[in-house]
C-alpha cells in the first residue's frame, strides 16, 4: 500500500468535525461504549480544527447514557472534484497516477494510513472517516475527459491506492465499475488494490482486459483469523472470502497477488508465512507486505484499539515500531516508510523473502501493456466528425 495521493480537486465543503456523541466513542476518550461494527473507538476533532472536543464524565447520573446507542449510520455526500486522476512523484511506489472513487472508507480498518486525509475536510480521522464518506459520482466522465487530453501519456494507473474501491457503498453507487469501463474502452492498463471479494462483480471487464495484459489485482489479506479480522477490519469481507476472490481471479486468467499488509508487530506478524502460503495455494503469483504505518492521528487510534482489544500489548507493539523507525513510532522517509529498518524490520524482510521462495511467489513479473491505449475522442473531434 502507499501513502495518500495529492489530488487537484475542488474539495467538498468542509464540515466541522463533530464532537464524539455520547455512547459512540472509546472509553479512552471518555465514552461509555464503542459503536458496534466500527473500527475506530473515538472521533476526536481533526488536527486543523481550532477547537477540540473531549467528553467528560462529571458524575451526574442524569447526564449519563449507558444504553446501547445502536449502529452509527453511514452518510455519503457528493465529492465536487474537478479531476479524478491523482498524480504523485513518490520514488518508492511503482505508479505515478491513481484513481480513488471515494474519500473515506466504510471498511473501518483501524490502521488505515488514509485516515488523516479526512482532516482536510474538517472531519475526524476516527469515526468520521468510516461513516462520513464522499463519492465521486462524476468520476467516469471526468476520467474520460482527462484521458482525452492531447498531452496525456499512457502508463499503468492504480485503482484504490488510497481507499478501497470496493467498499460496501460501491454495491449501490457502482462508480468503480464505471471507471473500469472507461479504462476498458480506452484499452488503458490498471492495477487494482482491494480487500473485498466485491471485485468479482467486475470479472467480465477484468477478464477481457487481462487477456490483453491490461489488468491485475492485488488482494489485501491482513490475517487468517476471522475474529481478529472482525475487530481490526469490521466491515471488510472475511479472510476466507478474500482467498476465494484470489482463486476466482486466478481461474479467470487475471494476474493476482496478495498484500500481507499491514504487518502489526506482536498482533498479526506471526501469520506472515501462513498468509503467503494460503494465497499461493489459491492461485496468487505475487506478494507484498508493509509494516504498520502510524502517521499523525493513526498512532492514537491504534493505541486505543490495542488497549481495548489487546490489553497490555500496546507497549510492545510501539517498542518494535520505534526500533524500526529510529526511535519514533513512524518515519515517513521515502524508501523507509513501508518497511522500516533495524533488527525487527530486517527479520520481517528476511521471513518474507524466504516464504516467497518457498511458495513460488514473485518468480516473475510482467509489466502491464501500455501500447494499446486508444484515447477517447475529444469534444472538438466529435464536432468535426459531423462534417
Amino acid at each position: 500500500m502507499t501513502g495518500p495521493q495529492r489530488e487537484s480537486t475542488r474539495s467538498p465543503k468542509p464540515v466541522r468535525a463533530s464532537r464524539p456523541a455520547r455512547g459512540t466513542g472509546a472509553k479512552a476518550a471518555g465514552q461509555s461504549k464503542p459503536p458496534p461494527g466500527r473500527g475506530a473507538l473515538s472521533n476526536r476533532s481533526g488536527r486543523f480544527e481550532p477547537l477540540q472536543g473531549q467528553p467528560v464524565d462529571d458524575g451526574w447520573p442524569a447526564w449519563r447514557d449507558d444504553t446501547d446507542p445502536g449502529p452509527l449510520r453511514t452518510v455519503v455526500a457528493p465529492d465536487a472534484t474537478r479531476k479524478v486522476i491523482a498524480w504523485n512523484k513518490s520514488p518508492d511506489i511503482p505508479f505515478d497516477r491513481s484513481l480513488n472513487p471515494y474519500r473515506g472508507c466504510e471498511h473501518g480498518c483501524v490502521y488505515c494510513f488514509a485516515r488523516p486525509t479526512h482532516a482536510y475536510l474538517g472531519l475526524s480521522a476516527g469515526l468520521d472517516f468510516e461513516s462520513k464518506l464522499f463519492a465521486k459520482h462524476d468520476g467516469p466522465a471526468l476520467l474520460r475527459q482527462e484521458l482525452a487530453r492531447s498531452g496525456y501519456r499512457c502508463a499503468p494507473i492504480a485503482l484504490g491506492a488510497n481507499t478501497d474501491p470496493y467498499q460496501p457503498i460501491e454495491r449501490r453507487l457502482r462508480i468503480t465499475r464505471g471507471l473500469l469501463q472507461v479504462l476498458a474502452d480506452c484499452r488503458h492498463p490498471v492495477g487494482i488494490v482491494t480487500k473485498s471479494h466485491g471485485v468479482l462483480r467486475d470479472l467480465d471487464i477484468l477478464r477481457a482486459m487481462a487477456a490483453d495484459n491490461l489488468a491485475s489485482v492485488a488482494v489485501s489479506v491482513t490475517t487468517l483469523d476471522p475474529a481478529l479480522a472482525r475487530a481490526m477490519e469490521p466491515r471488510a469481507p472475511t479472510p476466507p472470502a478474500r482467498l476465494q476472490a484470489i482463486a476466482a481471479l486466478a481461474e479467470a486468467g487475471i494476474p493476482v497477488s496478495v498484500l500481507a499488509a499491514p504487518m502489526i508487530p506482536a498482533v498479526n506478524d506471526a501469520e506472515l508465512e501462513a498468509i503467503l502460503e494460503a494465497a499461493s495455494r489459491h492461485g496468487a503469483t505475487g506478494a507484498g507486505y508493509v509494516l504498520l504505518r502510524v502517521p499523525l492521528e493513526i498512532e492514537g487510534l491504534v493505541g486505543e484499539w490495542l488497549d481495548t482489544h489487546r490489553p497490555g500489548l500496546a507497549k510492545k507493539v510501539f517498542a518494535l515500531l520505534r526500533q524500526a523507525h529510529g526511535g519514533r513510532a513512524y518515519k515517513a522517509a521515502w524508501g523507509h516508510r513501508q518497511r522500516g529498518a533495524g533488527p525487527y524490520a530486517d527479520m520481517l524482510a528476511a521471513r518474507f523473502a524466504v516464504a516467497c521462495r518457498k511458495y513460488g511467489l514473485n518468480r516473475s513479473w510482467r509489466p502491464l501493456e501500455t501500447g494499446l491505449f486508444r484515447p477517447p475522442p475529444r469534444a472538438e473531434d466529435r464536432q468535426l466528425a459531423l462534417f
Side-chain angles (χ1 to χ4, degrees):
M1 305 289 284
T2 62
Q5 307 298 307
R6 180 172 57 86
E7 299 189 37
S8 299
T9 64
R10 178 161 52 96
S11 298
K13 183 178 180 181
V15 181
R16 186 163 302 281
S18 55
R19 297 185 181 185
R22 285 185 298 168
T24 61
K27 292 181 180 179
Q31 301 295 80
S32 57
K33 293 181 181 179
R38 297 294 179 175
L41 299 171
S42 63
N43 204 40
R44 291 183 176 87
S45 301
R47 61 187 180 278
F48 300 122
E49 300 309 298
L51 300 176
Q52 298 290 321
Q54 179 66 42
V56 175
D57 182 359
D58 60 6
W60 287 88
W63 296 100
R64 298 181 64 182
D65 181 7
D66 293 325
T67 61
D68 184 355
L72 179 62
R73 302 295 181 186
T74 298
V75 177
V76 183
D79 185 341
T81 183
R82 292 176 295 183
K83 294 183 179 180
V84 73
I85 299 179
W87 297 85
N88 76 84
K89 297 181 179 180
S90 302
D92 58 350
I93 56 177
F95 56 87
D96 65 355
R97 65 202 72 183
S98 59
L99 295 170
N100 294 288
Y102 307 101
R103 297 181 195 246
C105 185
E106 199 176 7
H107 280 159
C109 305
V110 68
Y111 51 73
C112 181
F113 62 78
R115 284 182 177 274
T117 61
H118 244 43
Y120 297 116
L121 307 178
L123 295 169
S124 173
L127 292 169
D128 281 347
F129 177 80
E130 53 195 275
S131 63
K132 295 182 179 179
L133 312 180
F134 296 88
K136 301 176 184 179
H137 298 284
D138 296 332
L142 292 171
L143 177 60
R144 193 175 294 276
Q145 292 175 14
E146 292 177 60
L147 296 182
R149 290 178 177 170
S150 58
Y152 183 82
R153 296 295 178 265
C154 180
I157 195 164
L159 178 55
N162 214 35
T163 57
D164 203 307
Y166 289 100
Q167 58 181 284
I169 58 173
E170 169 62 17
R171 291 195 292 265
R172 173 171 57 89
L173 298 182
R174 300 170 68 87
I175 299 174
T176 296
R177 184 173 178 86
L179 294 170
L180 275 179
Q181 190 61 66
V182 172
L183 295 171
D185 292 344
C186 297
R187 302 176 69 76
H188 191 293
V190 60
I192 298 173
V193 179
T194 183
K195 54 167 51 74
S196 174
H197 64 313
V199 66
L200 299 181
R201 179 206 60 188
D202 295 332
L203 210 57
D204 56 332
I205 299 176
L206 293 173
R207 183 187 288 110
M209 294 184 73
D212 292 323
N213 191 31
L214 292 172
S216 65
V217 178
V219 179
S220 173
V221 181
T222 314
T223 177
L224 300 178
D225 179 356
L228 178 58
R230 187 56 53 209
M232 286 198 305
E233 312 156 334
R235 297 198 177 195
T238 63
R242 298 183 219 180
L243 292 174
Q244 291 165 11
I246 290 175
L249 290 163
E251 185 178 355
I254 299 164
V256 59
S257 58
V258 61
L259 293 177
M263 287 286 98
I264 305 175
V267 175
N268 69 336
D269 57 347
E271 296 187 67
L272 177 59
E273 290 84 358
I275 292 171
L276 298 184
E277 187 277 332
S280 175
R281 182 161 32 87
H282 282 79
T285 56
Y289 81 96
V290 176
L291 180 62
L292 173 67
R293 299 165 58 187
V294 290
L296 302 170
E297 294 95 332
I298 301 177
E299 181 176 355
L301 292 169
V302 169
E304 289 176 353
W305 184 90
L306 288 167
D307 288 341
T308 299
H309 294 280
R310 293 292 186 273
L313 201 57
K315 184 176 180 180
K316 181 176 182 179
V317 171
F318 283 101
L320 290 170
L321 287 177
R322 285 192 293 271
Q323 182 193 108
H325 293 297
R328 291 179 287 177
Y330 178 63
K331 181 180 178 181
W334 282 328
H336 174 94
R337 55 183 178 165
Q338 298 186 58
R339 299 291 179 88
Y344 173 77
D346 293 346
M347 178 187 67
L348 200 62
R351 288 173 54 199
F352 175 77
V354 169
C356 285
R357 289 195 297 270
K358 181 176 181 179
Y359 301 119
L361 297 166
N362 295 338
R363 286 183 174 174
S364 62
W365 176 74
R366 182 186 180 192
L368 294 175
E369 177 62 55
T370 59
L372 302 177
F373 176 61
R374 299 182 308 205
R378 293 176 293 173
E380 53 267 36
D381 295 336
R382 290 195 295 269
Q383 290 294 325
L384 289 172
L386 296 175
F387 298 96

